[in-house]
Amino acid sequence: MAFSLLLPAHTAVADEAAETQFSQGMACLRVHNSECAQLALQRINSQSLYADLLAGNIAASTGDTDSVLSLLLPLQNDAGLRGEARASLHQSLGIAYAAQQQPLKALEQYTLSEAALSEPAAIAAQQQRTGRLLASLSREDLMQMSSDATDKVMQGWIALALTISDIESGDSVNTRLQQWRAHHREHPAQPEYAFGIVAVAETTETAIPSAIDLEGSAAHQGDEADQETAGQQSASMESAGQLSGLALTRELDQRHLAASTGLDGDIALLLPYETEGYTAVADAIERGFIAAHSQAHGLGKVRTYATSGDVLEIRPIYQQALKEGASLVVGPVTRDEVAVLQGDAHPVLTLGLNQNVAAAPPLFHSYGLSIHSEVTQLVRMARDAGMQSATIIASNSPLAQRISTSFKDQWLAQGGEVRDTIVVDTDSTTSALIPQGSAAGDLYLIAGDEQHARAVRPLMDRATPTFALSHSFSGILQDPLDAELIGIRFVDIPWLLNPNNPAYQPYKAAAAELPPGEMQRWFALGVDAYQLLLALQQPERTLLLQGLTGRITRNPQGELERNLATGTYTSTGVSAETLP
């Protein structure tokens, strides 16, 4: 009798010990230490369900899908598995089904895994797995899954993946996601985690926070009373076990939020503080990057290293940053320095802040405010409107020459005709004869800055459609000096053309001291560089980032591309025409 009374307590102690060893084994797997996990497995009684569970997870980490299914499928109905244990069961089954090309079953397991989790960081990681699964499928596969799925959560995930796959250039990502959320109000999916969408729609009831706007609340606007109330509500909901669905989205505890949205490694900024003419540029980029780091609650240190533009010095500076603990690198900025590093192998994720067409090694990416991307969009706009011939009105600056060359190359490649390139010296009392009417062709392109645009516009036929790049815009939406520019269409970054976007408000204070125009563009690049580091840490995931510098995507060649906003000069100032 005494023995039988002691048996349940003994069994409970044994189960507790097995669960402890299981947790230790899972910790080993998270750092890819299978030998450590095997040692933990050996300490578990072979009759315990935790032995099969850990063995199944080890099998999943090695790609042994048959063992995963044979070990874990019998455990699905065991009511004794909770929390991390149950989540790992379904996660490993999902991995196995995905490897066997059974995406619907994999999605089912992933949704069950997420439902068993409570930690926001773990939920974010699981949503990333779900996003990677769905992003790897064709639209046809997703449509077939949609017709076969019966669970509402699964249907919502598939609908979200279809929504994102259907987004085309010129579409409003915010609007499309609002439409999806309207049909799936209680769905737990957070697009910024699952699909790398950093800035998403804002609505009064179904707002989805992101790495850009998660802190754009009353708490960050100085209302300490609201901050305290929000914190109390969050703690109350978490303790009651109600942190799920949209409640999870809106009420994440800030300490957990930091772990799931910010970069946690030390970051090196290689900025051109010692390069002639680039000191202000370096300052603006650094301000933007630090602002984004602060907003996302990044945990690592940010160190800035000054570069001089000397190609012989950039490698030693890069190596110094690595020796001092950098696990992420942003920069350099000048084209020649980026070209040097782009040819090297890199041990850490590196983001050069310029555009370079050369093939890059793994872990190296480049993204910048390139003339080429602006011209590409202008050419597409004009060709879509049926325009065939163009006249370029350029200044005599090196910038204008680069604009002219890029436009000619892309316009001719698209089958267009360049009637003439007229170089106008705005410092001279005489000017070249600018073609008028039909002699100008279907459009003028102004290649130069805002002073050049203001000087040449009165010399042009106002009936001929006229295009320009961002360099023609001073950054001031209502500038009396722009009265002559009415009718000109141009491309520029959303940060300047859509300044009242609620997602941008957290960055206004950090940018307030910078002059309008060019320095604001460099600031926006600094912000987007941080967001890109977040997205690029998941190289296999679909990249779609609504940045301050434009809508950023990754093409099939792995290159980062951006789609800009378009603006028009009107009688009341600059008006945003389209937003990416």
Side-chain angles (χ1 to χ4, degrees), residues 491-542:
V491 292
D492 209 331
I493 65 173
W495 170 252
L496 291 181
L497 288 179
N498 187 30
N500 295 322
N501 186 336
Y504 299 163
Q505 299 314 305
Y507 302 110
K508 291 295 185 180
E513 296 180 0
L514 296 172
E518 198 64 16
M519 289 305 110
Q520 293 290 335
R521 296 183 185 100
W522 291 112
F523 174 88
L525 177 62
V527 173
D528 284 357
Y530 189 88
Q531 310 299 349
L532 277 169
L533 284 185
L534 283 168
L536 291 169
Q537 287 189 316
Q538 301 292 335
E540 72 281 11
R541 190 172 62 184
T542 300

Side-chain angles (χ1 to χ4, degrees), residues 153-408:
V153 176
M154 294 170 62
Q155 290 174 342
W157 272 112
I158 297 167
L160 176 59
L162 283 168
T163 294
I164 292 173
S165 71
D166 287 344
I167 293 174
E168 298 179 352
S169 177
D171 285 354
S172 169
V173 176
N174 289 359
T175 300
R176 298 299 297 274
L177 290 176
Q178 278 183 310
Q179 293 170 349
W180 171 82
R181 181 59 77 186
H183 291 90
H184 304 275
R185 292 187 178 276
E186 300 301 321
H187 199 278
Q190 300 176 67
E192 68 273 25
Y193 297 154
F195 294 97
I197 301 178
V198 176
V200 293
E202 294 266 348
T203 66
T204 56
E205 293 297 326
T206 59
I208 308 172
S210 70
I212 284 182
D213 60 17
L214 274 166
E215 292 302 312
S217 63
H220 261 257
Q221 296 167 12
D223 192 334
E224 295 180 0
D226 284 356
Q227 184 179 19
E228 182 177 358
T229 300
Q232 291 171 349
Q233 291 175 344
S234 178
S236 174
M237 291 186 69
E238 186 173 4
S239 63
Q242 298 172 350
L243 208 56
S244 62
L246 290 178
L248 168 66
T249 304
R250 290 194 291 261
E251 303 291 343
L252 284 176
D253 181 272
Q254 298 306 311
R255 291 166 297 175
H256 292 155
L257 190 62
S260 61
T261 63
L263 296 167
D264 58 5
D266 288 355
I267 306 166
L269 298 182
L270 313 186
L271 298 178
Y273 275 106
E274 296 180 358
T275 306
E276 184 178 359
Y278 276 84
T279 302
V281 169
D283 176 65
I285 294 172
E286 184 175 20
R287 287 174 186 247
F289 191 90
I290 295 299
H293 185 64
S294 175
Q295 284 299 125
H297 292 277
L299 302 180
K301 297 178 181 178
V302 179
R303 294 187 179 91
T304 300
Y305 298 81
T307 68
S308 65
D310 189 335
V311 295
L312 298 179
E313 294 180 357
I314 191 59
R315 283 193 178 102
I317 292 173
Y318 185 89
Q319 292 302 319
Q320 179 187 352
L322 297 182
K323 289 178 182 178
E324 294 180 0
S327 59
L328 299 159
V329 177
V330 175
V333 175
T334 67
R335 180 178 294 272
D336 290 343
E337 289 175 318
V338 170
V340 168
L341 290 188
Q342 196 157 8
D344 298 342
H346 299 279
V348 301
L349 179 61
T350 302
L351 178 64
L353 298 182
N354 207 308
Q355 296 292 92
N356 199 304
V357 297
L363 295 181
F364 189 95
H365 302 269
S366 59
Y367 178 78
L369 304 178
S370 77
I371 289 172
H372 180 82
S373 62
E374 295 191 22
V375 170
T376 297
Q377 190 162 334
L378 277 184
V379 168
R380 184 170 63 244
M381 289 167 54
R383 295 295 286 167
D384 287 348
M387 297 179 180
Q388 302 288 334
S389 56
T391 294
I392 301 172
I393 312 299
S395 72
N396 56 4
S397 70
L399 168 67
Q401 297 309 307
R402 292 200 301 273
I403 294 173
S404 297
T405 299
S406 180
F407 181 83
K408 285 180 182 177

Side-chain angles (χ1 to χ4, degrees), residues 14-15 31 70 86 126 176 205 207 214 279 345 360 363 371 387 406 421 433 437 473 481 505 510 566:
D15 287 346
V31 295
S70 64
R86 178 157 294 280
Q126 180 54 62
R176 298 299 297 274
E205 293 297 326
L214 274 166
T279 302
L363 295 181
I371 289 172
M387 297 179 180
S406 180
T421 298
L433 179 64
F473 177 41
L481 296 176
Q505 299 314 305
T566 62

Side-chain angles (χ1 to χ4, degrees), residues 221 247 305 321 345 371 374 385 409 422 464 471 483 512 539 578:
Q221 296 167 12
Y305 298 81
I371 289 172
E374 295 191 22
D409 290 345
I422 309 297
T464 300
H471 306 83
T578 64

